Amino acid sequence: MRLLIAEDDALLRAGLKLLLESEGFDVVGSWDNADDLLAAFAPGSADGAVLDVRMPPTFTNEGLRAALELRSRVPDFPVLVLSAYVEDRYASRLLASGAQGVGYLLKERVGNVGEFVDGLRRVAAGGTVMDPEVIAQLFSRRSSQDPVRALTPREFEVLGLVAEGLGNTAIASAISVSETAVSKHIGNIFAKLGLAQSDSGHRRVLATLAYLRS
């Protein structure tokens, strides 16, 4: 998989490049700002991108805006956005850009190579990966009227794992139940959130959006 990197911290940028290449990825370009990445990008030139949220010149949301621009040029282009802090509004905006190939992780996840690379591979395969800390913070702010509050503790646990990007087999392993039980829980979640089969979009992503919505 050919990757692009945009990260203003030179040490982290070099470290990401070495780490990803050691895991079999091909880093075809790396920059210290989003504008240069976008200027160099052409459809077909890469298969995904890893971007810092905050970069020059304003250090606000340059990486997020670049991720959204990449996905506007190439629908569902895989992007994994890294942040030093939990900024859930960015996670929600990224998810709203499409149903496939998006990820939002805290930079501390890079230190756990296996977890980081697994998340990146899931994003590259069209999955959705959200940092568990983002999910936890958003849930703590929910109102009593939020439909997610209607979920049982087990259904909420399953939805959290769905939001992290896990498939049914991985969820079943994580909570020590059968895949049939996971499928039943997910069906109940969809029903309680009002997500009918006729809804446009991917229901797992729509459920994740409901989960992340503040």
Side-chain angles (χ1 to χ4, degrees):
M1 179 182 181
R2 299 166 299 164
L3 288 177
L4 307 174
I5 297 174
E7 164 60 58
D8 65 291
D9 184 305
L11 186 60
L12 180 55
R13 187 171 66 254
L16 276 171
K17 186 174 186 294
L18 287 173
L19 185 158
L20 292 171
E21 289 178 340
S22 72
E23 292 292 329
F25 295 94
D26 180 14
V27 178
V28 295
S30 62
W31 297 268
D32 62 3
N33 67 87
D35 288 342
D36 286 349
L37 179 149
L38 291 174
F41 177 76
S45 63
D47 306 307
V50 179
L51 307 99
D52 185 9
V53 166
R54 298 174 179 240
M55 288 185 283
T58 68
F59 294 95
T60 54
N61 63 353
E62 286 82 3
L64 173 71
R65 288 189 287 108
L68 297 175
E69 173 63 22
L70 289 171
R71 290 172 67 79
S72 73
R73 297 184 190 181
V74 179
D76 296 329
F77 184 77
V79 291
L80 177 61
V81 174
L82 300 176
S83 177
Y85 310 101
V86 175
E87 297 176 286
D88 47 73
R89 67 190 184 280
Y90 293 159
S92 297
R93 285 182 62 187
L94 188 60
L95 275 175
S97 71
Q100 296 181 322
V102 294
Y104 183 99
L105 293 176
L106 294 181
K107 286 186 176 181
E108 64 189 52
R109 304 296 170 200
V110 179
N112 185 327
V113 175
E115 183 178 353
F116 172 66
V117 171
D118 177 66
L120 179 56
R121 292 192 189 282
R122 281 188 275 145
V123 168
T128 304
V129 176
M130 290 292 114
D131 196 282
E133 289 191 30
V134 175
I135 294 168
Q137 178 168 305
L138 285 165
F139 181 72
S140 69
R141 298 206 311 263
R142 293 191 169 278
S143 70
S144 59
Q145 290 77 34
D146 195 306
V148 172
R149 291 285 189 183
L151 303 181
T152 66
R154 178 61 95 183
E155 288 166 354
F156 179 74
E157 182 181 19
V158 169
L159 181 53
L161 294 171
V162 168
E164 289 179 35
L166 300 186
N168 286 13
T169 301
I171 293 172
S173 176
I175 62 176
S176 301
V177 299
S178 68
E179 288 189 51
T180 300
V182 171
S183 295
K184 182 177 179 181
H185 287 314
I186 291 176
N188 290 339
I189 290 166
F190 290 159
K192 290 180 179 180
L193 296 181
L195 300 175
Q197 290 187 2
S198 59
D199 284 335
S200 61
H202 194 299
R203 286 197 296 171
R204 293 176 83 97
V205 173
L206 293 174
T208 299
L209 279 170
Y211 189 43
L212 292 174
R213 191 174 298 120
S214 58

